[in-house]
Amino acid sequence: MTDDLITTSTVAKGQPGWYLLGVSYVLWPNCALHYKSKRTPTGITTWRTCPPADRWPAVPCTLCGRPAAAWYGKGDVPLGASIEHRNTTAPDHEGTPLCFPCVTSFHALPYACTAGGGLLNGIHTWDARFMARITRSEVRDNLRGMVARSDLKGGGGIFALEFAALKALRWWDHRVTAGVQTLQFSNNNQDQKLQSEVMEQPLAEWLRSTVRHSERRSGFRYLAHAQATAKVSGLRMLAWRAFHHPEQIASRATGWLREQILNPPKHAAPGSIPAAVTPLVPLIRSYLVEVLNVLEPDVAHVVGVARRIADVVADDDTRLKKFTVSTRRPHDLKAWLKAEIADWSRKRPADAENEPFISVRQWRVLFDSGNASWSARELLFVATFEELATRGAKVAAVEEGTSHEDFKILDTDDQD
Protein backbone atom coordinates (compact mmCIF):
# COMPACT_ATOMS: atom_id res chain seq x y z
CA MET A 1 0.00 0.00 0.00
CA THR A 2 2.89 2.33 0.72
CA ASP A 3 4.36 1.65 -2.72
CA ASP A 4 1.01 2.49 -4.35
CA LEU A 5 0.95 5.84 -2.52
CA ILE A 6 4.50 6.64 -3.56
CA THR A 7 3.58 5.88 -7.17
CA THR A 8 0.46 8.04 -7.19
CA SER A 9 2.16 10.95 -5.40
CA THR A 10 3.90 12.04 -8.61
CA VAL A 11 0.92 11.72 -10.98
CA ALA A 12 -0.65 14.94 -12.28
CA LYS A 13 -4.39 15.44 -11.75
CA GLY A 14 -6.46 14.04 -14.57
CA GLN A 15 -3.84 11.48 -15.58
CA PRO A 16 -4.22 7.69 -15.21
CA GLY A 17 -3.03 6.62 -11.79
CA TRP A 18 -4.12 9.84 -10.03
CA TYR A 19 -7.21 8.12 -8.57
CA LEU A 20 -5.57 6.96 -5.32
CA LEU A 21 -4.15 10.43 -4.70
CA GLY A 22 -7.64 11.85 -5.21
CA VAL A 23 -9.08 9.35 -2.72
CA SER A 24 -6.55 10.52 -0.15
CA TYR A 25 -8.25 13.94 -0.09
CA VAL A 26 -11.51 12.17 0.84
CA LEU A 27 -9.95 9.89 3.47
CA TRP A 28 -6.84 11.60 4.87
CA PRO A 29 -6.93 15.31 3.98
CA ASN A 30 -4.17 16.12 6.49
CA CYS A 31 -1.75 13.34 5.53
CA ALA A 32 1.83 13.53 4.21
CA LEU A 33 0.65 13.34 0.58
CA HIS A 34 -0.74 16.86 0.81
CA TYR A 35 2.36 18.63 2.09
CA LYS A 36 5.12 19.33 -0.41
CA SER A 37 7.85 18.76 2.16
CA LYS A 38 6.45 15.34 3.10
CA ARG A 39 5.31 14.10 -0.31
CA THR A 40 8.48 12.10 -0.78
CA PRO A 41 9.14 8.36 -0.60
CA THR A 42 10.71 8.90 2.82
CA GLY A 43 7.86 11.05 4.12
CA ILE A 44 5.16 8.67 2.88
CA THR A 45 7.02 5.64 4.25
CA THR A 46 7.43 7.32 7.64
CA TRP A 47 3.70 8.08 7.75
CA ARG A 48 2.82 4.47 6.95
CA THR A 49 5.34 2.83 9.34
CA CYS A 50 4.51 1.49 12.80
CA PRO A 51 6.10 3.56 15.59
CA PRO A 52 8.86 1.85 17.59
CA ALA A 53 7.49 -0.25 20.46
CA ASP A 54 9.33 1.83 23.06
CA ARG A 55 7.16 4.82 22.04
CA TRP A 56 3.84 3.05 22.33
CA PRO A 57 1.43 4.52 24.89
CA ALA A 58 0.57 2.19 27.74
CA VAL A 59 -3.09 1.94 26.68
CA PRO A 60 -5.12 -0.65 24.77
CA CYS A 61 -6.40 -0.21 21.23
CA THR A 62 -9.91 1.25 21.25
CA LEU A 63 -11.12 -1.21 18.61
CA CYS A 64 -9.55 -4.56 19.48
CA GLY A 65 -7.84 -4.29 22.88
CA ARG A 66 -4.29 -5.04 21.70
CA PRO A 67 -1.53 -2.64 22.83
CA ALA A 68 -1.94 0.66 21.02
CA ALA A 69 0.94 1.85 18.82
CA ALA A 70 0.10 5.56 19.04
CA TRP A 71 -2.67 8.14 19.29
CA TYR A 72 -4.33 8.64 15.93
CA GLY A 73 -6.70 11.19 14.44
CA LYS A 74 -7.90 12.67 11.18
CA GLY A 75 -4.63 11.99 9.34
CA ASP A 76 -5.23 8.23 9.51
CA VAL A 77 -8.79 7.56 10.63
CA PRO A 78 -11.73 8.58 8.40
CA LEU A 79 -13.84 10.18 11.08
CA GLY A 80 -16.85 10.34 8.79
CA ALA A 81 -19.70 12.27 10.40
CA SER A 82 -22.43 14.70 9.54
CA ILE A 83 -21.56 18.32 8.85
CA GLU A 84 -22.93 19.24 12.29
CA HIS A 85 -20.01 17.50 13.99
CA ARG A 86 -16.40 18.63 14.08
CA ASN A 87 -14.33 16.14 12.15
CA THR A 88 -11.11 16.71 14.04
CA THR A 89 -9.50 15.69 17.32
CA ALA A 90 -10.65 17.93 20.13
CA PRO A 91 -8.12 20.44 21.57
CA ASP A 92 -5.89 18.99 24.32
CA HIS A 93 -7.00 15.48 23.35
CA GLU A 94 -4.27 13.20 22.09
CA GLY A 95 -6.54 11.26 19.72
CA THR A 96 -7.73 7.68 19.54
CA PRO A 97 -5.39 4.90 20.73
CA LEU A 98 -5.08 2.24 18.03
CA CYS A 99 -2.83 -0.72 17.34
CA PHE A 100 -1.07 -0.67 13.98
CA PRO A 101 -3.08 -3.56 12.46
CA CYS A 102 -6.28 -1.53 13.04
CA VAL A 103 -4.66 1.61 11.59
CA THR A 104 -3.56 -0.44 8.59
CA SER A 105 -7.17 -1.54 8.11
CA PHE A 106 -8.15 2.12 7.82
CA HIS A 107 -5.29 2.64 5.37
CA ALA A 108 -6.68 -0.21 3.27
CA LEU A 109 -10.11 1.40 2.76
CA PRO A 110 -9.39 2.57 -0.83
CA TYR A 111 -8.94 -1.08 -1.78
CA ALA A 112 -12.32 -2.16 -0.39
CA CYS A 113 -14.35 0.99 -1.16
CA THR A 114 -14.86 2.75 -4.47
CA ALA A 115 -14.92 6.52 -4.92
CA GLY A 116 -17.75 8.27 -6.67
CA GLY A 117 -19.18 11.75 -6.43
CA GLY A 118 -16.63 12.84 -3.84
CA LEU A 119 -17.53 9.98 -1.48
CA LEU A 120 -16.16 6.56 -0.64
CA ASN A 121 -18.77 3.86 -1.18
CA GLY A 122 -18.60 0.51 0.54
CA ILE A 123 -20.64 -2.54 1.47
CA HIS A 124 -20.53 -4.11 4.92
CA THR A 125 -22.09 -7.12 6.63
CA TRP A 126 -21.48 -9.00 9.86
CA ASP A 127 -21.71 -12.26 7.91
CA ALA A 128 -17.94 -12.86 7.89
CA ARG A 129 -17.85 -15.27 4.94
CA PHE A 130 -20.02 -13.05 2.79
CA MET A 131 -17.97 -10.00 3.80
CA ALA A 132 -14.80 -11.79 2.72
CA ARG A 133 -16.33 -12.52 -0.68
CA ILE A 134 -17.41 -8.90 -1.16
CA THR A 135 -14.00 -7.60 -0.09
CA ARG A 136 -12.06 -9.88 -2.43
CA SER A 137 -14.18 -8.75 -5.35
CA GLU A 138 -13.83 -5.05 -4.49
CA VAL A 139 -10.07 -5.29 -3.98
CA ARG A 140 -9.62 -6.93 -7.37
CA ASP A 141 -11.66 -4.25 -9.13
CA ASN A 142 -10.13 -1.34 -7.23
CA LEU A 143 -6.57 -2.44 -7.92
CA ARG A 144 -7.34 -2.19 -11.61
CA GLY A 145 -9.04 1.17 -11.08
CA MET A 146 -6.05 2.64 -9.27
CA VAL A 147 -3.95 2.14 -12.36
CA ALA A 148 -6.50 3.24 -14.94
CA ARG A 149 -8.78 5.80 -13.29
CA SER A 150 -7.91 9.47 -13.35
CA ASP A 151 -10.76 11.05 -11.36
CA LEU A 152 -13.28 10.45 -8.58
CA LYS A 153 -16.39 10.75 -10.71
CA GLY A 154 -19.12 8.21 -10.16
CA GLY A 155 -19.04 4.97 -12.06
CA GLY A 156 -21.29 1.99 -12.34
CA GLY A 157 -24.48 3.83 -13.28
CA ILE A 158 -27.37 5.01 -11.14
CA PHE A 159 -27.72 3.44 -7.68
CA ALA A 160 -24.38 1.73 -8.29
CA LEU A 161 -23.75 0.89 -4.62
CA GLU A 162 -27.14 -0.71 -4.01
CA PHE A 163 -26.91 -2.53 -7.33
CA ALA A 164 -23.47 -3.91 -6.43
CA ALA A 165 -24.89 -5.24 -3.15
CA LEU A 166 -27.76 -6.93 -4.99
CA LYS A 167 -25.39 -8.58 -7.45
CA ALA A 168 -23.17 -9.79 -4.62
CA LEU A 169 -26.15 -11.35 -2.86
CA ARG A 170 -27.39 -13.11 -5.95
CA TRP A 171 -23.96 -14.64 -6.59
CA TRP A 172 -23.55 -15.88 -3.00
CA ASP A 173 -23.83 -19.64 -2.51
CA HIS A 174 -24.52 -19.77 1.23
CA ARG A 175 -27.27 -18.60 3.53
CA VAL A 176 -26.89 -14.95 4.50
CA THR A 177 -26.71 -14.73 8.30
CA ALA A 178 -26.74 -10.94 8.74
CA GLY A 179 -28.08 -7.81 7.13
CA VAL A 180 -26.20 -5.90 4.43
CA GLN A 181 -25.18 -2.28 4.91
CA THR A 182 -24.17 0.37 2.40
CA LEU A 183 -21.77 3.07 3.55
CA GLN A 184 -21.04 6.41 1.91
CA PHE A 185 -18.61 8.66 3.71
CA SER A 186 -16.15 11.49 3.32
CA ASN A 187 -13.45 12.84 5.63
CA ASN A 188 -12.93 15.90 3.45
CA ASN A 189 -12.13 19.06 5.39
CA GLN A 190 -14.86 21.01 3.61
CA ASP A 191 -17.73 18.50 3.76
CA GLN A 192 -17.71 15.52 6.11
CA LYS A 193 -20.42 12.94 5.57
CA LEU A 194 -21.48 9.55 6.81
CA GLN A 195 -24.58 7.94 5.36
CA SER A 196 -25.66 4.36 5.88
CA GLU A 197 -28.60 2.26 4.69
CA VAL A 198 -29.35 -1.27 5.86
CA MET A 199 -31.03 -4.19 4.13
CA GLU A 200 -32.25 -6.47 6.91
CA GLN A 201 -31.23 -10.13 6.95
CA PRO A 202 -34.64 -11.59 5.95
CA LEU A 203 -34.73 -9.49 2.79
CA ALA A 204 -31.09 -10.21 1.98
CA GLU A 205 -31.66 -13.95 2.29
CA TRP A 206 -34.92 -13.73 0.31
CA LEU A 207 -33.20 -11.95 -2.58
CA ARG A 208 -30.48 -14.59 -2.56
CA SER A 209 -33.13 -17.32 -2.62
CA THR A 210 -34.61 -15.99 -5.87
CA VAL A 211 -31.57 -17.46 -7.62
CA ARG A 212 -31.19 -20.65 -5.61
CA HIS A 213 -34.84 -21.80 -5.65
CA SER A 214 -35.99 -22.85 -9.09
CA GLU A 215 -39.63 -22.03 -8.32
CA ARG A 216 -38.64 -18.45 -7.50
CA ARG A 217 -36.25 -17.86 -10.37
CA SER A 218 -39.00 -17.76 -12.97
CA GLY A 219 -40.90 -15.06 -11.09
CA PHE A 220 -37.90 -12.87 -10.29
CA ARG A 221 -37.51 -11.35 -13.74
CA TYR A 222 -41.13 -10.22 -13.58
CA LEU A 223 -40.61 -8.87 -10.07
CA ALA A 224 -37.62 -6.84 -11.24
CA HIS A 225 -39.45 -5.61 -14.33
CA ALA A 226 -42.31 -4.44 -12.14
CA GLN A 227 -39.97 -2.14 -10.19
CA ALA A 228 -38.78 -0.17 -13.23
CA THR A 229 -39.49 3.51 -13.74
CA ALA A 230 -39.26 5.63 -16.86
CA LYS A 231 -35.61 6.43 -16.09
CA VAL A 232 -34.33 3.51 -14.00
CA SER A 233 -34.14 -0.17 -14.93
CA GLY A 234 -36.02 -2.74 -12.90
CA LEU A 235 -33.00 -4.40 -11.26
CA ARG A 236 -31.44 -1.13 -10.16
CA MET A 237 -34.77 0.16 -8.86
CA LEU A 238 -35.28 -3.11 -7.00
CA ALA A 239 -31.83 -2.73 -5.42
CA TRP A 240 -32.60 0.82 -4.33
CA ARG A 241 -35.98 -0.10 -2.83
CA ALA A 242 -34.43 -3.05 -0.98
CA PHE A 243 -32.33 -0.57 1.02
CA HIS A 244 -34.63 2.44 1.20
CA HIS A 245 -38.26 1.28 0.89
CA PRO A 246 -38.54 -2.52 1.04
CA GLU A 247 -42.28 -2.27 1.76
CA GLN A 248 -42.77 -0.91 -1.77
CA ILE A 249 -41.43 -3.98 -3.57
CA ALA A 250 -44.53 -6.13 -3.15
CA SER A 251 -46.95 -3.26 -3.80
CA ARG A 252 -45.13 -2.34 -7.01
CA ALA A 253 -45.37 -5.95 -8.13
CA THR A 254 -49.10 -6.26 -7.46
CA GLY A 255 -49.76 -2.88 -9.07
CA TRP A 256 -47.81 -3.88 -12.16
CA LEU A 257 -49.69 -7.18 -12.40
CA ARG A 258 -53.01 -5.36 -12.12
CA GLU A 259 -52.02 -3.15 -15.04
CA GLN A 260 -50.91 -6.16 -17.10
CA ILE A 261 -54.23 -7.90 -16.45
CA LEU A 262 -56.46 -4.92 -17.18
CA ASN A 263 -54.44 -3.45 -20.04
CA PRO A 264 -52.51 -6.29 -21.69
CA PRO A 265 -49.87 -5.28 -24.24
CA LYS A 266 -50.91 -5.33 -27.88
CA HIS A 267 -48.59 -8.22 -28.68
CA ALA A 268 -50.23 -10.46 -26.04
CA ALA A 269 -52.07 -13.53 -27.33
CA PRO A 270 -55.82 -12.87 -27.49
CA GLY A 271 -57.63 -14.11 -24.42
CA SER A 272 -54.54 -14.96 -22.41
CA ILE A 273 -54.00 -14.13 -18.77
CA PRO A 274 -50.52 -12.53 -18.54
CA ALA A 275 -47.74 -15.09 -18.30
CA ALA A 276 -46.33 -13.20 -15.31
CA VAL A 277 -49.31 -14.08 -13.09
CA THR A 278 -48.49 -17.74 -12.40
CA PRO A 279 -44.79 -17.34 -11.40
CA LEU A 280 -45.00 -13.88 -9.83
CA VAL A 281 -47.96 -14.24 -7.45
CA PRO A 282 -46.31 -17.05 -5.39
CA LEU A 283 -43.17 -14.90 -5.20
CA ILE A 284 -45.23 -12.00 -3.84
CA ARG A 285 -46.77 -14.30 -1.24
CA SER A 286 -43.34 -15.47 -0.09
CA TYR A 287 -42.17 -11.85 0.16
CA LEU A 288 -45.11 -10.91 2.34
CA VAL A 289 -44.44 -13.79 4.73
CA GLU A 290 -40.64 -13.94 4.80
CA VAL A 291 -39.77 -10.25 4.50
CA LEU A 292 -42.75 -8.16 5.60
CA ASN A 293 -43.69 -10.61 8.39
CA VAL A 294 -47.28 -11.05 7.28
CA LEU A 295 -48.63 -14.12 9.07
CA GLU A 296 -48.66 -17.17 6.81
CA PRO A 297 -52.19 -18.14 7.94
CA ASP A 298 -53.40 -14.67 6.90
CA VAL A 299 -51.93 -15.13 3.44
CA ALA A 300 -53.62 -18.53 3.27
CA HIS A 301 -56.91 -16.88 4.20
CA VAL A 302 -56.59 -14.45 1.29
CA VAL A 303 -55.77 -17.27 -1.11
CA GLY A 304 -58.83 -19.15 0.15
CA VAL A 305 -61.08 -16.19 -0.64
CA ALA A 306 -59.46 -15.88 -4.07
CA ARG A 307 -60.32 -19.49 -4.84
CA ARG A 308 -63.91 -18.97 -3.74
CA ILE A 309 -64.17 -15.88 -5.95
CA ALA A 310 -62.75 -17.85 -8.87
CA ASP A 311 -65.52 -20.41 -8.31
CA VAL A 312 -68.21 -17.82 -8.99
CA VAL A 313 -66.59 -15.63 -11.68
CA ALA A 314 -64.93 -18.23 -13.88
CA ASP A 315 -68.04 -18.68 -15.97
CA ASP A 316 -69.82 -15.39 -15.30
CA ASP A 317 -68.66 -12.34 -17.25
CA THR A 318 -70.78 -9.88 -15.28
CA ARG A 319 -69.55 -11.06 -11.90
CA LEU A 320 -65.93 -10.87 -12.94
CA LYS A 321 -66.38 -7.35 -14.22
CA LYS A 322 -68.08 -6.24 -10.99
CA PHE A 323 -65.40 -7.91 -8.87
CA THR A 324 -62.62 -6.20 -10.81
CA VAL A 325 -64.21 -2.78 -10.48
CA SER A 326 -64.93 -3.32 -6.77
CA THR A 327 -61.26 -3.98 -5.93
CA ARG A 328 -60.48 -0.34 -6.51
CA ARG A 329 -62.00 0.74 -3.18
CA PRO A 330 -62.51 -1.17 0.09
CA HIS A 331 -66.12 0.01 0.40
CA ASP A 332 -66.97 -1.32 -3.07
CA LEU A 333 -65.24 -4.63 -2.41
CA LYS A 334 -67.18 -5.03 0.84
CA ALA A 335 -70.44 -4.40 -1.02
CA TRP A 336 -69.54 -6.92 -3.73
CA LEU A 337 -68.59 -9.58 -1.20
CA LYS A 338 -71.81 -9.04 0.80
CA ALA A 339 -73.85 -9.54 -2.37
CA GLU A 340 -71.94 -12.74 -3.11
CA ILE A 341 -72.40 -13.97 0.46
CA ALA A 342 -76.16 -13.61 0.08
CA ASP A 343 -76.18 -15.32 -3.30
CA TRP A 344 -73.93 -18.12 -2.02
CA SER A 345 -76.34 -18.75 0.84
CA ARG A 346 -79.17 -19.30 -1.66
CA LYS A 347 -77.26 -21.28 -4.31
CA ARG A 348 -74.53 -23.00 -2.32
CA PRO A 349 -73.24 -26.13 -4.13
CA ALA A 350 -74.00 -29.46 -2.51
CA ASP A 351 -70.30 -30.19 -1.98
CA ALA A 352 -69.91 -26.92 -0.04
CA GLU A 353 -72.96 -27.20 2.18
CA ASN A 354 -71.22 -26.18 5.40
CA GLU A 355 -68.71 -23.74 3.92
CA PRO A 356 -69.26 -19.97 4.00
CA PHE A 357 -68.39 -17.83 1.00
CA ILE A 358 -65.99 -15.91 3.22
CA SER A 359 -65.23 -16.58 6.89
CA VAL A 360 -65.11 -14.02 9.67
CA ARG A 361 -61.33 -14.41 9.90
CA GLN A 362 -60.92 -13.92 6.16
CA TRP A 363 -63.05 -10.78 6.32
CA ARG A 364 -60.93 -9.37 9.13
CA VAL A 365 -57.71 -10.01 7.23
CA LEU A 366 -59.07 -8.10 4.23
CA PHE A 367 -60.60 -5.16 6.08
CA ASP A 368 -59.71 -5.03 9.78
CA SER A 369 -55.93 -5.53 9.90
CA GLY A 370 -54.77 -1.94 9.59
CA ASN A 371 -52.14 -1.26 6.95
CA ALA A 372 -51.80 -4.99 6.27
CA SER A 373 -55.34 -5.06 4.86
CA TRP A 374 -54.27 -3.00 1.84
CA SER A 375 -51.64 -5.60 0.93
CA ALA A 376 -54.19 -8.35 1.55
CA ARG A 377 -56.67 -6.79 -0.89
CA GLU A 378 -54.00 -6.31 -3.55
CA LEU A 379 -52.98 -9.93 -3.08
CA LEU A 380 -56.62 -10.98 -3.35
CA PHE A 381 -56.91 -9.46 -6.83
CA VAL A 382 -53.79 -11.09 -8.28
CA ALA A 383 -54.37 -14.39 -6.45
CA THR A 384 -57.83 -14.60 -8.03
CA PHE A 385 -56.31 -14.34 -11.47
CA GLU A 386 -53.64 -16.84 -10.50
CA GLU A 387 -56.42 -19.30 -9.68
CA LEU A 388 -58.23 -18.50 -12.94
CA ALA A 389 -55.02 -19.07 -14.90
CA THR A 390 -54.54 -22.41 -13.13
CA ARG A 391 -58.04 -23.42 -14.26
CA GLY A 392 -57.34 -22.47 -17.86
CA ALA A 393 -59.62 -19.43 -17.94
CA LYS A 394 -58.89 -16.64 -20.38
CA VAL A 395 -59.41 -12.89 -20.56
CA ALA A 396 -61.20 -11.46 -23.58
CA ALA A 397 -59.26 -8.78 -25.44
CA VAL A 398 -60.04 -5.16 -24.62
CA GLU A 399 -61.59 -3.35 -27.55
CA GLU A 400 -60.42 0.08 -28.63
CA GLY A 401 -62.22 2.86 -26.78
CA THR A 402 -63.45 0.70 -23.90
CA SER A 403 -62.53 1.20 -20.30
CA HIS A 404 -60.26 -1.20 -18.49
CA GLU A 405 -63.24 -2.75 -16.71
CA ASP A 406 -64.71 -3.97 -20.03
CA PHE A 407 -63.27 -7.44 -20.16
CA LYS A 408 -64.53 -10.89 -19.28
CA ILE A 409 -63.52 -14.40 -18.45
CA LEU A 410 -64.19 -17.15 -20.94
CA ASP A 411 -64.01 -20.87 -20.45
CA THR A 412 -61.39 -22.54 -22.60
CA ASP A 413 -64.05 -24.37 -24.58
CA ASP A 414 -66.01 -21.15 -25.21
CA GLN A 415 -62.88 -19.41 -26.42
CA ASP A 416 -62.24 -22.22 -28.89
Side-chain angles (χ1 to χ4, degrees):
M1 292 191 294
T2 301
D3 290 343
D4 289 342
L5 289 176
I6 292 173
T7 300
T8 195
S9 67
T10 60
V11 177
K13 185 174 182 178
Q15 297 299 313
W18 180 84
Y19 170 79
L20 185 56
L21 180 58
V23 168
S24 70
Y25 287 96
V26 178
L27 280 175
W28 317 293
N30 301 339
C31 73
L33 282 169
H34 308 141
Y35 297 91
K36 188 175 181 179
S37 61
K38 298 180 180 179
R39 192 190 294 186
T40 64
T42 300
I44 294 170
T45 301
T46 300
W47 167 40
R48 287 299 183 91
T49 299
C50 181
D54 58 2
R55 291 170 47 193
W56 290 6
V59 294
C61 173
T62 297
L63 297 180
C64 70
R66 287 186 289 242
W71 301 87
Y72 293 92
K74 190 177 178 72
D76 295 273
V77 183
L79 305 172
S82 68
I83 197 67
E84 289 82 10
H85 295 79
R86 287 185 60 83
N87 205 30
T88 58
T89 302
D92 300 324
H93 191 286
E94 293 185 88
T96 302
L98 297 172
C99 68
F100 204 68
C102 284
V103 174
T104 303
S105 296
F106 285 125
H107 290 169
L109 279 172
Y111 298 84
C113 301
T114 303
L119 299 171
L120 263 290
N121 306 305
I123 302 171
H124 178 263
T125 176
W126 291 109
D127 183 327
R129 288 196 302 174
F130 186 38
M131 187 66 210
R133 168 69 178 270
I134 294 171
T135 304
R136 284 194 297 269
S137 177
E138 289 298 316
V139 169
R140 182 186 63 245
D141 294 343
N142 286 330
L143 283 172
R144 290 196 295 260
M146 287 177 189
V147 176
R149 289 184 64 177
S150 58
D151 56 46
L152 303 185
K153 294 180 180 178
I158 192 168
F159 305 145
L161 184 56
E162 294 90 344
F163 186 50
L166 175 62
K167 288 194 295 183
L169 278 170
R170 288 175 57 75
W171 278 101
W172 185 233
D173 295 331
H174 307 281
R175 184 177 182 274
V176 178
T177 60
V180 179
Q181 181 182 22
T182 59
L183 292 165
Q184 294 183 296
F185 57 96
S186 170
N187 201 33
N188 189 292
N189 283 330
Q190 282 72 46
D191 188 14
Q192 299 86 44
K193 289 184 179 179
L194 175 61
Q195 182 174 335
S196 174
E197 302 292 343
V198 177
M199 179 197 302
E200 299 294 344
Q201 185 273 337
L203 176 51
E205 175 59 20
W206 186 87
L207 285 169
R208 192 193 71 85
S209 76
T210 58
V211 175
R212 305 302 158 189
H213 297 179
S214 58
E215 65 273 16
R216 296 185 178 183
R217 273 201 305 269
S218 58
F220 181 79
R221 66 186 183 96
Y222 295 112
L223 179 78
H225 188 68
Q227 309 303 313
T229 67
K231 295 183 178 180
V232 185
S233 70
L235 273 175
R236 288 180 183 269
M237 204 67 231
L238 172 64
W240 183 85
R241 287 196 174 101
F243 282 98
H244 298 269
H245 293 289
E247 73 284 354
Q248 293 180 359
I249 292 175
S251 61
R252 290 284 301 194
T254 53
W256 179 81
L257 269 182
R258 175 183 284 271
E259 182 64 21
Q260 295 298 303
I261 290 168
L262 300 182
N263 296 299
K266 293 182 179 179
H267 58 77
S272 63
I273 291 177
V277 169
T278 301
L280 181 51
V281 176
L283 197 61
I284 294 171
R285 289 201 297 266
S286 71
Y287 189 90
L288 294 175
V289 173
E290 297 174 28
V291 178
L292 298 186
N293 297 317
V294 177
L295 296 177
E296 194 166 1
D298 288 350
V299 172
H301 284 311
V302 174
V303 173
V305 178
R307 288 173 180 160
R308 183 68 75 210
I309 292 172
D311 289 338
V312 301
V313 303
D315 56 358
D316 192 320
D317 305 345
T318 301
R319 271 182 168 156
L320 176 66
K321 178 177 178 179
K322 289 181 178 179
F323 164 70
T324 303
V325 173
S326 74
T327 58
R328 288 175 162 185
R329 295 186 300 179
H331 179 270
D332 293 342
L333 181 57
K334 284 182 179 180
W336 186 85
L337 286 171
K338 287 177 181 178
E340 290 301 324
I341 290 170
D343 190 72
W344 180 264
S345 299
R346 294 192 303 268
K347 304 176 182 178
R348 185 178 311 177
D351 58 354
E353 184 176 351
N354 297 318
E355 296 179 11
F357 183 80
I358 179 172
S359 69
V360 173
R361 179 56 184 163
Q362 289 169 331
W363 184 276
R364 287 176 176 169
V365 170
L366 289 171
F367 301 108
D368 299 329
S369 299
N371 292 334
S373 288
W374 184 88
S375 297
R377 291 191 295 271
E378 285 294 288
L379 177 61
L380 176 67
F381 179 82
V382 296
T384 298
F385 278 86
E386 177 193 22
E387 182 64 22
L388 292 171
T390 301
R391 300 181 186 191
K394 299 200 173 188
V395 181
V398 179
E399 297 178 3
E400 290 293 331
T402 60
S403 66
H404 69 269
E405 296 99 340
D406 293 329
F407 67 95
K408 59 183 181 178
I409 286 290
L410 300 174
D411 287 333
T412 304
D413 292 340
D414 292 339
Q415 180 67 19
D416 292 340

